[in-house]
Amino acid sequence: MILQALVKHYETLAEDGKVSRRGWCHAKVSFALNLAEDGRLKGVIDLKLEDNRGKKQVWVPRPIEVPEMVSRSSGVSSNFLCDNSKYLLGIDKEGTNQRVLDCFQAAKEKHIDILENVHNNMAEAIKKFFMTWEPERAKEHYELQEFWDEITEGANLIFCMGGDYAQDDPEIRTAWMQANESKSGESDGICLVTGNRAEIARIHSTVKGVPGAQSSGAALVSFNAPAFESYGKEQSYNAPVGKYAAFAYTTALNYLLSQREYTFQLGDTMVVFWAENGDKIYQDAFCWSVAPQPDNQEVMKGIFDALKEHRAVAVDDIELDTSQRFFIMGLAPNAARLSVRFFYQDCFGSILSNIAKHYERMEIVKPSWEERKYLGVWQMLQETVNQKSKEKKPVSNMAAMVLQAILSGGKYPVSLYSNLMIRIRSEQGRVTWGRAAITKAYLIRNSVMEEGEKYMGVNEENHDTAYVLGRVFSVLEAIQEEANPGINATIRDRYFNAACATPASVFPVLMKLKNSHVKKIETSKKSFKIYYENLLTQLMGSIEEFPKRMTLEEQGRFILGYYHQVQKRYEKKEDK
């Protein structure tokens, strides 16, 4: 299902001319070896481009269409016309050695073999270069000295003569295509992706662009040990995929990963997404919905309102087809391979609808200074992380599971809630609006708490013991602050965790402390004393006894009650 979707997307991209044809690929090339007609190295041309990376200007390799590159994990295997210095020059940082010379020899044999019947100036220059180049004397060539370190660090090199590049030469292109098509297949079979009989790919091309994976690329389909194989089928013959399908899905996935504006990372998971018709407006809308920014929150509100009211959904005056198939995939690094954390597909309207319902569950009263209307997925996950630590990353699988739950409308992972509770306890009851919103959403979706506007702010009709105790704790904290203006540490810092988990052991102590605090304000702030005592009397009337222990779910309701009451304290007096 995953490979079929990617192959179909490749065909859509190929129709639009956005990806290379079979036998070709786009590589990041740093330098061109400028050859004379007799094969001499005349110079090295720097092909890198200037790019903006934040506030910095950096030089990056130029993307160029070159003959399809081989997948290398070990051993010696040369590319045609585009490779690193070991293969095209026979050198590395230290100069040369037998392993590097073997690489150069493999490249020499491949180029002379493919170009054997091509006799134009470019082809002859390349053949003469390989016949006359001496890797042992490479350091003597002043043409290489200026870029020696960059060239030998693994940068991709190509051949040129002046302004003409070898891979653009028509006769050389024809020779490459003939050589590529004439390769005899070691095995034919039924392709699991297309369902047609085809030559099965022994090794699939690598996928690049997943942070944490090997920089040279990682495999999505790969078998390298007998323990992973079946019926004696080795390597990728164990999952028979035709060469066309293998090329198509890797090309499509590499293209998706190269479009950085349409990818985002959650923990160790890189998320890519695409519409079946290849239209980028759907990618834009999805990106905005899961990672809202201050400048697009009104746009998202318009989309969500249109879905709720069953109106046509439009972005930038372009009407979206809510029945359009949309795909989301999460990839995580696993040494030389990639793990698929999740793969989800549905019509675009359903996905947006599920995201909108998630945001509805997250709606809660906010501090007056908070400008964000929606809390994006990554911002949600950050609420579970210690912001003072060096590594501000959430638990790996939890991040992917949260996104999948939101997209499908399923229950949130328990790990989200448990990690949130651990973070609140470790910070002595610091309940931000984001943490309160997550708690509310979790209790509504995963528990039996009713949904609706009643839980946007304080719910006066809720007489649940845990919720009321949270409100009581907030009132007791307010009384202490009124009695001791400017106090550095309140009862929250010392008693919150115990009050949340074992109320019976803490609230009797807090009530005694309250009495001493009330005495301090009864003369100077009599109106406050009357207000708080009336409020406490009303709240305590709902509590028959203090529970000895509260479950995690009850602790969540306690936290929600506490947060609601804290926000209530900051309303204007006339609103009270």
Side-chain angles (χ1 to χ4, degrees):
M1 179 167 43
I2 297 174
L3 301 189
Q4 287 173 331
L6 287 169
V7 168
K8 191 168 184 179
H9 189 54
Y10 162 78
E11 292 169 350
T12 301
L13 293 171
E15 286 179 8
D16 295 338
K18 295 178 180 177
V19 293
S20 304
R21 303 179 313 281
R22 186 182 176 187
W24 300 84
C25 70
H26 279 86
K28 295 178 179 179
V29 182
S30 299
F31 300 99
L33 302 177
N34 189 19
L35 304 181
E37 289 187 9
D38 60 0
R40 287 183 301 104
L41 179 63
K42 291 172 60 179
V44 177
I45 301 174
D46 190 344
L47 300 178
K48 295 192 293 296
L49 301 170
E50 195 172 14
D51 188 30
N52 293 322
R53 297 287 173 86
K55 296 182 179 179
K56 295 182 179 179
Q57 296 283 333
V58 295
W59 292 93
V60 297
R62 182 191 301 265
I64 295 178
E65 187 180 61
V66 299
E68 186 178 2
M69 303 178 80
V70 299
S71 300
R72 283 195 294 250
S73 56
S74 60
V76 175
S77 183
S78 172
N79 292 311
F80 182 61
L81 298 181
C82 177
D83 218 321
N84 59 45
S85 63
K86 292 180 182 179
Y87 285 88
L88 297 193
L89 295 171
I91 57 174
D92 60 10
K93 282 186 177 182
E94 306 302 323
T96 190
N97 55 51
Q98 189 56 50
R99 172 71 164 72
V100 176
L101 288 175
D102 290 342
C103 293
F104 177 75
Q105 185 63 29
K108 177 180 177 180
E109 292 173 0
K110 185 167 191 171
H111 283 78
I112 291 176
D113 180 53
I114 293 176
L115 298 176
E116 182 180 7
N117 297 318
V118 184
H119 301 292
N120 62 24
N121 288 344
M122 182 71 77
E124 290 296 331
I126 293 172
K127 287 186 284 186
K128 289 176 182 177
F129 167 80
F130 277 107
M131 294 299 294
T132 60
W133 180 256
E134 298 176 292
E136 298 86 350
R137 302 183 61 183
K139 285 191 175 181
E140 300 176 10
H141 290 261
Y142 70 90
E143 297 89 351
L144 297 176
Q145 297 305 313
E146 182 181 356
F147 304 109
W148 181 272
D149 289 338
E150 291 180 82
I151 288 174
T152 56
E153 280 179 353
N156 281 327
L157 315 174
I158 58 174
F159 294 109
C160 73
M161 293 181 70
D164 299 324
Y165 297 109
Q167 70 275 3
D168 295 335
D169 185 282
E171 292 183 59
I172 293 178
R173 291 176 74 91
T174 301
W176 162 247
M177 292 303 296
Q178 290 174 348
N180 196 45
E181 293 297 330
S182 65
K183 293 177 183 176
S184 58
E186 295 180 26
S187 176
D188 287 346
I190 301 299
C191 173
L192 293 178
V193 179
T194 63
N196 301 323
R197 178 166 288 279
E199 183 182 345
I200 303 303
R202 183 176 67 87
I203 298 176
H204 296 194
S205 299
T206 56
V207 176
K208 300 178 181 180
V210 178
Q214 289 186 354
S215 58
S216 58
L220 188 63
V221 179
S222 173
F223 304 85
N224 71 333
F228 311 129
E229 297 167 356
S230 305
Y231 302 103
K233 294 184 179 294
E234 298 178 348
Q235 295 183 311
S236 294
Y237 295 138
N238 194 39
V241 175
K243 283 196 169 183
Y244 166 75
F247 167 78
Y249 90 76
T250 52
T251 301
L253 193 49
N254 277 313
Y255 175 82
L256 288 168
L257 287 165
S258 70
Q259 305 294 300
R260 286 303 183 187
E261 67 272 28
Y262 297 123
T263 64
F264 59 89
Q265 195 165 1
L266 292 177
D268 68 342
T269 303
M270 175 62 76
V271 181
V272 296
F273 41 91
W274 69 96
E276 190 172 49
N277 66 355
D279 197 335
K280 288 188 174 182
I281 193 67
Y282 295 92
Q283 291 174 294
D284 286 327
F286 177 77
C287 209
W288 297 339
S289 65
V290 294
Q293 300 299 321
D295 58 347
N296 62 32
Q297 302 220 8
E298 286 303 316
V299 176
M300 293 318 303
K301 185 178 184 301
I303 291 176
F304 294 148
D305 288 346
L307 284 169
K308 194 173 183 179
E309 298 165 10
H310 304 287
R311 293 186 284 107
V313 178
V315 176
D316 296 335
D317 298 326
I318 301 173
E319 186 172 329
L320 301 182
D321 178 9
T322 53
S323 64
Q324 176 68 234
R325 299 296 293 176
F326 198 79
F327 306 87
I328 307 107
M329 181 164 62
L331 297 170
N334 182 15
R337 290 166 182 74
L338 297 176
S339 297
V340 179
R341 289 283 192 211
F342 67 88
F343 178 72
Y344 185 76
Q345 59 174 317
D346 201 348
C347 61
F348 194 63
S350 294
I351 291 173
L352 283 183
S353 180
N354 288 333
I355 294 173
K357 289 176 183 176
H358 159 72
Y359 284 132
E360 283 181 14
R361 290 191 291 268
M362 292 276 289
E363 284 185 3
I364 198 167
V365 60
K366 302 179 182 69
S368 58
W369 47 263
E370 181 56 64
E371 297 180 354
R372 292 175 296 177
K373 182 174 180 60
Y374 304 107
L375 194 70
V377 179
W378 178 249
Q379 294 167 324
M380 273 180 65
L381 296 169
Q382 286 297 297
E383 295 291 350
T384 69
V385 175
N386 181 5
Q387 295 302 313
K388 294 181 181 179
S389 65
K390 291 183 179 179
E391 289 290 329
K392 299 180 179 63
K393 291 183 179 179
V395 178
S396 297
N397 357 346
M398 181 189 74
M401 291 165 65
V402 170
L403 179 60
Q404 190 173 13
I406 293 171
L407 297 176
S408 63
K411 292 186 175 182
Y412 300 104
V414 176
S415 56
L416 171 67
Y417 185 63
S418 59
N419 276 276
L420 184 72
M421 299 299 285
I422 291 170
R423 179 54 31 210
I424 291 173
R425 283 198 293 267
S426 66
E427 295 183 14
Q428 288 79 43
R430 181 171 174 267
V431 184
T432 62
W433 80 267
R435 291 171 181 175
I438 296 170
T439 302
K440 172 178 175 275
Y442 181 90
L443 292 176
I444 289 173
R445 185 65 189 87
N446 292 47
S447 186
V448 293
M449 196 174 87
E450 61 183 308
E451 194 169 356
E453 294 184 359
K454 289 183 178 179
Y455 286 94
M456 279 283 291
V458 170
N459 184 354
E460 304 284 357
E461 300 173 7
N462 188 342
H463 301 296
D464 174 76
T465 300
Y467 182 81
V468 173
L469 281 175
R471 294 184 61 193
V472 169
F473 190 89
S474 174
V475 173
L476 295 176
E477 183 183 30
I479 293 173
Q480 182 189 31
E481 289 177 347
E482 291 291 351
N484 304 282
I487 188 172
N488 291 327
T490 67
I491 57 173
R492 191 200 77 186
D493 301 283
R494 184 174 178 184
Y495 294 106
F496 185 91
N497 291 344
C500 186
T502 56
S505 65
V506 173
F507 271 92
V509 177
L510 296 177
M511 298 308 288
K512 289 181 182 179
L513 285 174
K514 181 266 301 182
N515 293 333
S516 62
H517 294 148
V518 166
K519 286 181 181 179
K520 288 186 178 182
I521 63 173
E522 63 182 351
T523 54
S524 60
K525 300 179 180 179
K526 192 172 182 179
S527 61
F528 282 97
K529 174 186 178 251
I530 295 171
Y531 170 76
Y532 284 125
E533 284 193 331
N534 288 340
L535 182 56
L536 274 178
T537 301
Q538 177 187 345
L539 293 173
M540 293 301 292
S542 302
I543 301 172
E544 296 181 4
E545 62 177 352
F546 296 122
K548 291 182 179 179
R549 187 172 296 277
M550 291 203 293
T551 64
L552 274 179
E553 184 181 309
E554 290 171 329
Q555 290 176 42
R557 293 201 291 269
F558 178 97
I559 288 169
L560 201 56
Y562 170 78
Y563 175 81
H564 281 159
Q565 192 63 44
V566 167
Q567 294 305 311
K568 184 76 172 177
R569 284 163 50 190
Y570 294 111
E571 292 180 3
K572 294 180 180 179
K573 292 180 182 179
E574 56 267 26
D575 293 336
K576 291 186 178 180

